[in-house]
Amino acid sequence: MNVAQLLLVGWDASYVEEDWYPPLRDALNGLTAEQAAWRPDGSVVNTIWENVNHLIFYKERLLKRWTGEETAYPPGLVNEDTFVVESRTEEAWRQTLARLDAVHNSIRGLLAAASAEELERRIPDKPLDHWLYNLLVHDAYHTGAIIQLRKLQGSWPARRSVD
């Protein structure tokens, strides 16, 4: 298995294909806007929705760098800004999920067609394959946080079937 194939396996496992942990799309499945915006009383943890916006930001950033649309980090933006949720309606939540799906699949398409040379291209300070690997691990980390929040709010299924 080459690097591109290995990254593709990880990319799919982090989002759509359950392996050692539930993928991100399963962790978000069936959530309402109210559940996605829920925060434990008195807690300063990020909501599920805030986590999803954060993931979208970094995926869109990589996609824009990969395609040459962006070359630098947006000026004045700090990491905390990537978690912001502006509207908490059901429609806004559906749009957020569609945006996540679209950017994830756009990157997947580019990855599936990428050559070894392209994956070694530096964007700007690290090779593309490094960024892709870090993003799939980043997804796994935040998927765990999302599942924990769902467990705390009681919206995570008590039992999951094992195939």
Side-chain angles (χ1 to χ4, degrees):
M1 183 178 296
N2 64 35
V3 171
Q5 292 168 327
L6 187 58
L7 285 170
L8 201 53
V9 166
W11 197 253
D12 289 343
S14 73
Y15 191 63
V16 293
E17 293 180 11
E18 185 160 349
D19 198 348
W20 285 91
Y21 61 92
L24 180 58
R25 191 158 50 179
D26 285 1
L28 299 171
N29 188 36
L31 281 173
T32 65
E34 181 180 1
Q35 290 168 321
W38 179 84
R39 184 182 332 270
D41 287 338
S43 178
V44 294
V45 300
N46 292 309
T47 67
I48 291 169
W49 202 331
E50 289 167 343
N51 276 287
V52 171
N53 279 352
H54 173 75
L55 293 173
I56 290 169
F57 172 82
Y58 284 104
K59 286 175 187 274
E60 287 179 343
R61 181 171 174 234
L62 177 66
L63 181 60
K64 288 177 183 176
R65 285 184 166 197
W66 193 339
T67 60
E69 292 177 54
E70 179 184 293
T71 57
Y73 197 76
L77 190 75
V78 295
N79 188 55
E80 290 77 21
D81 296 336
T82 68
F83 291 91
V84 173
V85 175
E86 293 181 11
S87 173
R88 288 176 168 76
T89 66
E90 288 298 327
E91 178 59 26
W93 176 236
R94 282 191 297 277
Q95 289 173 0
T96 298
L97 293 175
R99 193 169 153 206
L100 175 65
D101 199 55
V103 70
H104 187 89
N105 289 325
S106 292
I107 292 171
R108 190 200 188 283
L110 289 173
L111 176 56
S115 67
E117 294 78 24
E118 184 174 7
L119 292 175
E120 292 171 3
R121 180 170 58 100
R122 297 185 80 76
I123 302 179
D125 57 338
K126 295 176 187 157
L128 180 56
D129 57 7
H130 182 101
W131 288 110
L132 288 162
Y133 175 77
N134 281 342
L135 272 181
L136 71 90
V137 172
H138 187 239
D139 276 5
Y141 171 81
H142 285 284
T143 298
I146 288 166
I147 291 169
Q148 184 64 30
L149 284 165
R150 288 196 67 175
K151 287 178 177 183
L152 289 170
Q153 72 181 204
S155 68
W156 187 248
R159 293 268 181 198
R160 295 176 47 88
S161 63
V162 177
D163 296 343

